[in-house]
Amino acid sequence: MRPDWLEASYNRALACLALNRQEEALAGFKRVLESQPDSAEALLGMATTAAACGDIETGLSIRNQLCESGQHHPELTFNLALDLDRCGRTEEAMRLYCEALKERPLFAEALLNLGHLLERQGNRDEARECWKRALDLNTRLRAGILFAEMSGWFSG
């Protein structure tokens, strides 16, 4: 495949992903990976699309592959943590929120969600600390923290 066609396939796959046409996006990223198996961009697109389709395992596998090659994508890590949390895989979600914070230490949303998980596990002091740090980083998160306070999750 010609290099310009690879770029076109990649860009089309991104457009399909943005339009929630995941099957077409996956096919496009696969075409790129057939010619360039180590394309970090195509791997990231594939992982993002897999996560959007609910295929957490593929997303996690590709994320690990990217991390092993020194590529860190905190937004992907965060989104996979969200998916794991939704599936009730709390311990794995906590681990990935912590990894997202290692990848991007000032990731307020990861701190906020980590706080929610800690609170659900009964670690109220740690949850409060996460929420305070999240609020210090991003005052727009105040609404989420105020909701937590009103729900009795957070005081202080």
Side-chain angles (χ1 to χ4, degrees), residues 46-91:
M46 188 79 138
T48 302
T49 305
C53 292
D55 185 355
I56 298 170
E57 298 311 317
T58 296
L60 289 170
S61 174
I62 295 172
R63 180 194 169 274
N64 289 340
Q65 185 179 349
L66 288 165
C67 288
E68 287 170 6
S69 69
Q71 303 273 332
H72 297 282
H73 301 279
E75 290 77 16
L76 173 63
T77 304
F78 174 80
N79 287 329
L80 288 167
L82 282 173
D83 291 339
L84 289 166
D85 187 22
R86 284 187 201 113
C87 292
R89 294 166 63 178
T90 305
E91 293 298 322

Side-chain angles (χ1 to χ4, degrees), residues 71-145:
Q71 303 273 332
H72 297 282
H73 301 279
E75 290 77 16
L76 173 63
T77 304
F78 174 80
N79 287 329
L80 288 167
L82 282 173
D83 291 339
L84 289 166
D85 187 22
R86 284 187 201 113
C87 292
R89 294 166 63 178
T90 305
E91 293 298 322
E92 291 172 277
M94 285 180 97
R95 183 180 57 78
L96 280 189
Y97 284 131
C98 290
E99 288 184 27
L101 288 163
K102 287 178 190 170
E103 294 168 6
R104 190 170 98 197
L106 304 178
F107 200 156
E109 293 83 358
L111 281 165
L112 180 69
N113 289 0
L114 179 59
H116 293 323
L117 288 180
L118 289 165
E119 174 64 24
R120 282 192 306 216
Q121 290 191 327
N123 298 320
R124 187 168 221 163
D125 292 337
E126 290 177 64
R128 278 190 211 126
E129 183 58 34
C130 285
W131 290 331
K132 286 178 186 176
R133 287 177 50 209
L135 185 57
D136 287 344
L137 291 171
N138 185 342
T139 57
R140 291 180 303 162
L141 295 176
R142 183 175 300 280
I145 293 174

